[in-house]
């Protein structure tokens, strides 16, 4: 029973390149959440998605960031034209529904370094 | 506004008891979580409180007072492996977790 799988674990991008972060939720989970953890800071909510729908993107920067969770395949967090300030750990979590009645399980994260 | 406060660092001795406090002010409240996070790893679920009172699970207990906007995580019989960051998080209505900055606990022999 694999947990939440994120890849890659580490990603290095030059300024101006694109970064694609992938998240495969736990089997049976249809809700995905993305969080960002900047150095020395807590996790910050970015976006909540269900299959083919964005439910809440109130934490997403308005420009350069996008997320999707297609009917088939993993959820993708896409960062265009990366800048040094995008360097952070990006965590994905999944749940069978939202709320602790169902539980949130986190992946091990993708550590993005922009050089 | 949203604000979750917890101490940045704590130190305790192996075998002892430690209490990590968390105070919160959020626009919505569907429950409060505690997660453990070792460096470079995924946050792992420890406890969930939605009603006032104490929830006990082995060496870990968590307390909630909604009227005071206050929670604590109690760790008993500390072990070296308990050295980690402990994250307090409040769930808002849309399934969004608001995290505190985390408390780094160092357990010394």
């Amino acid at each position: 029973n694999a947990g939440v799988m994120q890849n890659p674990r580490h990603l290095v991008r030059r300024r101006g390149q694109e970064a694609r972060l992938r998240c495969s939720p736990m089997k049976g989970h249809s809700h995905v959440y993305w969080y960002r953890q900047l150095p020395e800071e807590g996790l910050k909510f970015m976006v909540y998605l269900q299959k083919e729908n964005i439910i809440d993107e109130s934490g997403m920067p308005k420009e350069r960031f996008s997320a999707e969770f297609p009917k088939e395949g993993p959820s993708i967090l896409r960062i265009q034209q990366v800048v040094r300030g995008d360097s952070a750990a990006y965590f994905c979590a999944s749940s069978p529904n939202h709320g602790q009645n169902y539980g949130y399980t986190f992946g091990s994260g993708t550590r993005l370094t922009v050089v | 506004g949203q604000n979750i406060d917890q101490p940045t660092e704590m130190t305790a001795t192996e075998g002892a008891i430690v209490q990590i406090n968390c105070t919160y002010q959020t626009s919505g409240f569907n429950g409060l979580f505690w997660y453990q996070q070792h460096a470079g790893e995924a946050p792992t679920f420890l406890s969930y409180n939605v009603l006032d009172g104490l929830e006990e699970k082995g060496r870990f207990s968590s307390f909630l007072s909604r009227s005071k906007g206050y929670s604590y995580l109690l760790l008993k019989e500390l072990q070296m492996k308990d050295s980690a960051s402990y994250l307090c998080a409040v769930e808002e209505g849309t399934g969004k977790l608001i995290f505190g900055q985390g408390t780094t606990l160092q357990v010394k022999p």
Side-chain angles (χ1 to χ4, degrees), chain A residues 6 8-10 37 43 88-91 106-111, chain B residues 36-44 83-85 87 104:
Chain A
Q6 291 189 249
R9 285 296 303 271
H10 300 274
Q37 188 173 34
L43 284 92
Y90 291 83
F91 289 92
F106 281 82
S108 296
T110 293
R111 277 137 191 92
Chain B
Q36 181 191 61
Q37 186 180 26
H38 285 97
E41 297 184 9
T44 54
S83 293
S85 289
L87 315 179
T104 300

Side-chain angles (χ1 to χ4, degrees), chain A residues 35 40 48 58 99-100 104 107, chain B residues 33 42 48 91 94 96-97 101:
Chain A
Y35 289 81
E40 309 302 323
Y48 162 28
S58 57
Q100 172 48 30
Y104 299 100
Chain B
F33 293 77
Y48 170 73
E91 183 188 23
T94 55
K96 176 195 305 184
L97 294 180
Q101 189 171 352

Side-chain angles (χ1 to χ4, degrees), chain A residues 29-32 48-56 67-76:
Chain A
H29 286 195
S30 59
H31 297 242
V32 165
Y48 162 28
L49 310 104
Q50 293 181 34
K51 284 286 187 182
E52 301 183 280
N53 288 304
I54 296 175
I55 306 303
D56 181 349
E68 62 176 7
F69 189 17
K71 187 175 181 181
E72 301 291 337
S75 175
I76 306 287

Side-chain angles (χ1 to χ4, degrees), chain B residues 5-38:
Chain B
D5 285 320
Q6 45 181 135
T8 305
E9 295 179 344
M10 298 184 72
T11 302
T13 304
E14 191 176 15
I17 299 172
V18 70
Q19 178 174 313
I20 303 174
N21 296 323
C22 172
T23 58
Y24 65 89
Q25 284 182 308
T26 56
S27 56
F29 183 85
N30 270 6
L32 188 143
F33 293 77
W34 285 95
Y35 281 86
Q36 181 191 61
Q37 186 180 26
H38 285 97

Side-chain angles (χ1 to χ4, degrees), chain A residues 67-83:
Chain A
E68 62 176 7
F69 189 17
K71 187 175 181 181
E72 301 291 337
S75 175
I76 306 287
L77 179 67
R78 183 183 177 203
I79 311 172
Q80 295 178 292
Q81 300 173 340
V82 295
V83 300

Side-chain angles (χ1 to χ4, degrees), chain B:
Chain B
Q2 301 170 337
N3 193 41
I4 299 182
D5 285 320
Q6 45 181 135
T8 305
E9 295 179 344
M10 298 184 72
T11 302
T13 304
E14 191 176 15
I17 299 172
V18 70
Q19 178 174 313
I20 303 174
N21 296 323
C22 172
T23 58
Y24 65 89
Q25 284 182 308
T26 56
S27 56
F29 183 85
N30 270 6
L32 188 143
F33 293 77
W34 285 95
Y35 281 86
Q36 181 191 61
Q37 186 180 26
H38 285 97
E41 297 184 9
T44 54
F45 171 79
L46 290 178
S47 69
Y48 170 73
N49 295 70
V50 67
L51 299 176
D52 289 354
L54 187 68
E55 294 282 342
E56 296 186 82
K57 190 183 295 184
R59 294 190 299 115
F60 295 76
S61 303
S62 57
F63 172 83
L64 175 67
S65 169
R66 289 172 298 173
S67 61
K68 294 182 179 178
Y70 168 70
S71 173
Y72 67 73
L73 179 69
L74 193 71
L75 293 76
K76 303 176 186 176
E77 302 170 13
L78 280 173
Q79 302 175 10
M80 298 299 292
K81 68 178 182 180
D82 296 329
S83 293
S85 289
Y86 292 85
L87 315 179
C88 173
V90 170
E91 183 188 23
E92 293 195 332
T94 55
K96 176 195 305 184
L97 294 180
I98 310 299
F99 281 87
Q101 189 171 352
T103 298
T104 300
L105 173 66
Q106 185 179 16
V107 180
K108 295 186 173 180

